[in-house]
Amino acid sequence: MRAARALAIIPTVVVTATIVFVLIRIIPGDPAALMLGLEAPPAQLQALRHALGEDRPVWVQYAAWLGGLARGQLGESIRYHAPVAALIAERLPVTLSLALAAMAVTVAVALPLGLLAAVRAWSLFDLGVLAATQAGLAVPNFWIGILLLLFFSVTLGWLPLQGYAPLAAGAGAWAAHLVLPAVTLGAARAAQLMRFVRGAVLEELAHDYVRTARGKGLAERAVLLGHVLRNALIPVLTIAGLQFGYLLGGAIVVEQVFGLPGLGRLVLQGIYARDLPVVQGAVVVLALLVSALNTIVDLLYSVVDPRVSAG
Amino acid sequence: MTGRLLALLLAAACATALSSQPAESLGGRLTFAISGGPDTLDPQRTSATLAFQVMKSLYDTLVEPDDRGVLVSDLAASWTMAPDGKQWTFKLKPGVRFHNGRPLDAQDVVATFTRIVDPALGSPKRNDFAAIDRVEPVDATTVRFALKQPFAPFLAALGQGWGAILPKEAIASGTDFGKTPIGTGPFKIEEWSRDSFLRLGRFDAYFVRGEPALEGVTFRFVSEGPVKTAGLLTGEFDVVDNVDPLDVPRLEKDARVSIRPRQNATVNVVAINNGRKPFTDVRVRRALWHAIDRKAVLKTAYGAGSTPVAVFMDVQSPYYVDLGDPYPYSPAKAKELLAEAGLGSGFTADLVLPQPYASHIKAGELVQAMLAQVGVQAKIRVVEFGFWLSRIFTGAHDYDLTIIGHTGKLDPDGRLAGFGNPATNYVNYTSSRVVALVDAGRFTLRADLRRRTYTEVLRLMTEDAMMVFLGDPEDRLATRKGVQNVKEMYAIDTYDLRTAAK
């Protein structure tokens, strides 16, 4: 069954890939015209289109690309003249670092605050948290990003303004470059997750077993952490898993603001340049990641709650 | 004896002190934040402005433009053209070395231009060298180009970024110059993180003595304007490009930075689709000139230091013609012309503006308001640049009016070719006389005759009101105080950091 679940990723990826293939051909624009800019004699444009294989029928291009994908080949970037797989390999660690750091921020903020808000439901604290989550959801993250950047990097000068440092350059430098982007990216997600945690905990608190546990004389702390939170975690885990997908999507904007050379930036530049192999390749890799993560989340249910069979 | 020794020691100390003087000013690495990064570092496989901005630091060309756009010596010490214009012979400078240490010779030039015209390379700039019939070495340091026919823009083609000279053995071994550039330029590559930064270090064997002054330069690719400005203020960046006009007052007040406005060789235009009614009527096109306060649009949208032009040529070009203000701003006159053309009650027009060019969009909004004054209802349609290129600039030319910048060219042919024949220009401008003159200019080798030819072309284009020419936009670099000699080369989109110092 687990193998079957893993296999189910394949149709997801193929369907995603096909949608991307179709979409990118629907939006007007032509990589050859973009490469040549405002100085292309028509004959030269035609020659470049031919060299790029753009003058082949769409279904031939689709078959060629899907065939390559089946053999694990993502092709060569039109804009960078480099293998797409190599470009993605360069960028993936950046985006994964960012998404994981943002996830850590999300969970670290959402779990305790959500739990406290539920325990003290409708108190001033709870209302404050609810208001804050509303703000967190409403404000666009590039704006939060620029504000954070102006405050921490410019006014205080504590953190670097821009760019990325790989782990190899030292954990301190790596973290310093990631803090602001991770907070920026995680803020809205934390707001959303916090509401779920609050809701799920509130629901659990109404159950009889909570009264029983309290009746047994268990400390409130043990009731909350040992019983309530554990049961509330299942829906929360689902949402957190889905949020990882949003984080990867949100990375496109945040990487742009903070100048992180990640997958999001690669996709964005790829769309501007109509660099079809890059966009297609990157989206397939992202789809793979999200599908794989969702599978892992499914499997995690059984860890959190033994009643859920991992079968 | 002791006295003499002491004197000697003193002299030696002074000499050391003196010689260490320039060495001190050599110190320092420059951090230069530019709006975007190169797609590739192979000069023959790109036509992107963002790529050429860094190319001059890595590579050299046989000739290069000086500040006024005149082509002067770079790797070539001298050159001659045969009277029939079909043979060009270049003598290379001695003492030039590639980053791999090997001296430059004629075979490198041969290999370089053999590579760019090879269809297998798929160079977007192959056409510029289509006139080449053969390239051959005359001796170790002399190279001769035989052309199929006389081609006046040839020297200019050699001076563009894509005329960079590459080492023959690296070409032969199929080196990927896109990642591992090897040139003769003042800096060599240290590290490139695509779309993040490009770090270059001084090339100690650079053929110009005493250059470059800097120890190295790091280009940082920063797309967000506010981030660039912030980085300049904190000192993280020494130089930033494309300063937003809105940031100028704030930066001007700051004692730590200086703003360096510079004339750009671009000509910004309100392009008119000459093939669509009612713009087929020259009176309507002239009415647009009268209706638009060109100076106000230019200075508001592109910066106060921009220069209006009334011809399709930048004001710095040796081919520029001053026609004064042929169709002065006058809504009354515009209405009169429209009424003459039977459009007294006005009409609507499709005004297409390209994203992400905020200044063109701003200009479009101003133009829209001005046209409304004379009864022309311009409906703005903002499209992404890729869309613009494939639907407006090429393809169906689906627009009435659009606003864009035409970047500078070293040779007027680069700017003017294609106009006049409606099949080869996006404004559908038709003029057999312009076609004939532009063709003639391409084969005219005498400078005075060429100038006369292009003067006539420019005059005709304005007379026919092919487009509404706005002018050359101001270009703003901002630097930290103490940064010197960061230069932009004329018309070729390249920064020249050979004498820059910090």
Side-chain angles (χ1 to χ4, degrees), chain A residues 26-30 33-45 47-49 51 76 78-83 86-87 90-91 142 146 149-150 153-155 157 159-164 177 253 256-261 265-266 269 271-274, chain B residues 35 37-40 45-48 50 122-128 162 176 178-179 192-197 220-224 226-228 230-234 236-237 356 384-391 393-394 404-407 409 414 423-424 426:
Chain A
I26 289 175
I27 49 172
D30 162 9
L34 277 154
M35 273 173 87
L36 294 175
L38 260 65
E39 43 204 80
Q44 200 176 341
L45 188 64
L48 190 62
R49 279 206 183 109
E76 184 172 289
I78 293 169
R79 180 171 125 92
Y80 297 105
H81 306 293
L87 290 171
E90 261 172 39
R91 309 296 186 106
F142 67 88
I146 291 194
L149 198 139
L150 288 176
S153 305
V154 178
T155 309
L159 292 165
L161 188 65
Q162 265 269 315
Y164 177 73
H177 281 90
V253 174
Q256 196 70 9
V257 173
F258 290 96
L260 295 171
R265 218 168 174 201
L266 185 69
Q269 306 280 4
I271 293 172
Y272 283 146
R274 301 293 189 275
Chain B
S35 302
D39 44 0
T40 172
R45 295 192 79 182
T46 181
S47 61
L50 292 175
S123 172
K125 292 298 180 186
R126 193 176 150 228
N127 236 33
D128 277 37
W162 45 96
D176 181 4
K179 255 187 357 204
W192 180 30
S193 168
R194 256 184 260 263
D195 290 329
S196 182
F197 66 87
R220 300 267 300 266
F221 311 125
V222 183
S223 52
E224 308 299 306
V227 177
K228 274 197 290 197
L232 185 71
L233 292 174
T234 60
E236 187 154 339
F237 307 141
E384 188 257 345
F385 187 58
F387 182 104
W388 188 91
L389 277 175
S390 64
R391 292 288 174 86
F393 189 70
T394 63
I404 197 72
H406 287 262
T407 53
K409 296 287 177 294
T424 52
Y426 74 109

Side-chain angles (χ1 to χ4, degrees), chain A residues 180-193:
Chain A
L180 292 183
V183 169
T184 304
L185 184 54
R189 302 277 69 93
Q192 199 187 25
L193 191 64

Side-chain angles (χ1 to χ4, degrees), chain B residues 328-350:
Chain B
Y329 174 54
S330 161
K333 177 79 189 161
K335 279 189 193 156
E336 203 178 295
L337 280 171
L338 289 176
E340 251 179 63
L343 293 163
S345 52
F347 61 95
T348 60
D350 172 32

Side-chain angles (χ1 to χ4, degrees), chain A residues 95-287:
Chain A
T95 300
L96 280 183
S97 299
L98 173 61
L100 289 174
M103 196 73 217
V105 169
T106 304
V107 172
V109 172
L111 266 192
L113 286 186
L115 184 65
L116 279 176
V119 171
R120 299 185 198 160
W122 311 117
S123 69
L124 212 57
F125 172 79
D126 180 35
L127 293 176
V129 166
L130 282 178
T133 59
Q134 195 58 50
L137 285 171
V139 176
N141 57 9
F142 67 88
W143 191 74
I144 297 184
I146 291 194
L147 284 190
L148 287 175
L149 198 139
L150 288 176
F151 187 64
F152 287 100
S153 305
V154 178
T155 309
L156 298 177
W158 288 355
L159 292 165
L161 188 65
Q162 265 269 315
Y164 177 73
L167 252 181
W174 175 77
H177 281 90
L178 275 181
V179 165
L180 292 183
V183 169
T184 304
L185 184 54
R189 302 277 69 93
Q192 199 187 25
L193 191 64
M194 193 148 42
R195 296 184 147 220
F196 271 99
V197 173
R198 181 180 174 276
V201 171
L202 270 182
E203 200 174 303
E204 289 303 320
L205 281 174
H207 283 302
D208 288 345
Y209 75 87
V210 178
R211 207 177 42 206
T212 314
R214 283 182 180 148
K216 279 196 307 192
L218 265 184
E220 189 62 20
R221 200 186 148 80
V223 174
L224 285 179
L225 297 182
H227 295 271
V228 174
L229 190 60
R230 192 162 178 156
N231 283 321
L233 224 46
I234 293 182
V236 169
L237 200 59
T238 311
I239 297 299
L242 289 175
Q243 288 206 331
F244 196 76
Y246 284 109
L247 288 180
L248 289 174
I252 293 183
V253 174
V254 172
E255 284 175 9
Q256 196 70 9
V257 173
F258 290 96
L260 295 171
L263 215 49
R265 218 168 174 201
L266 185 69
V267 171
L268 194 67
Q269 306 280 4
I271 293 172
Y272 283 146
R274 301 293 189 275
D275 193 342
L276 314 180
V278 161
V279 178
Q280 288 167 174
V283 170
V284 164
V285 169
L286 288 173

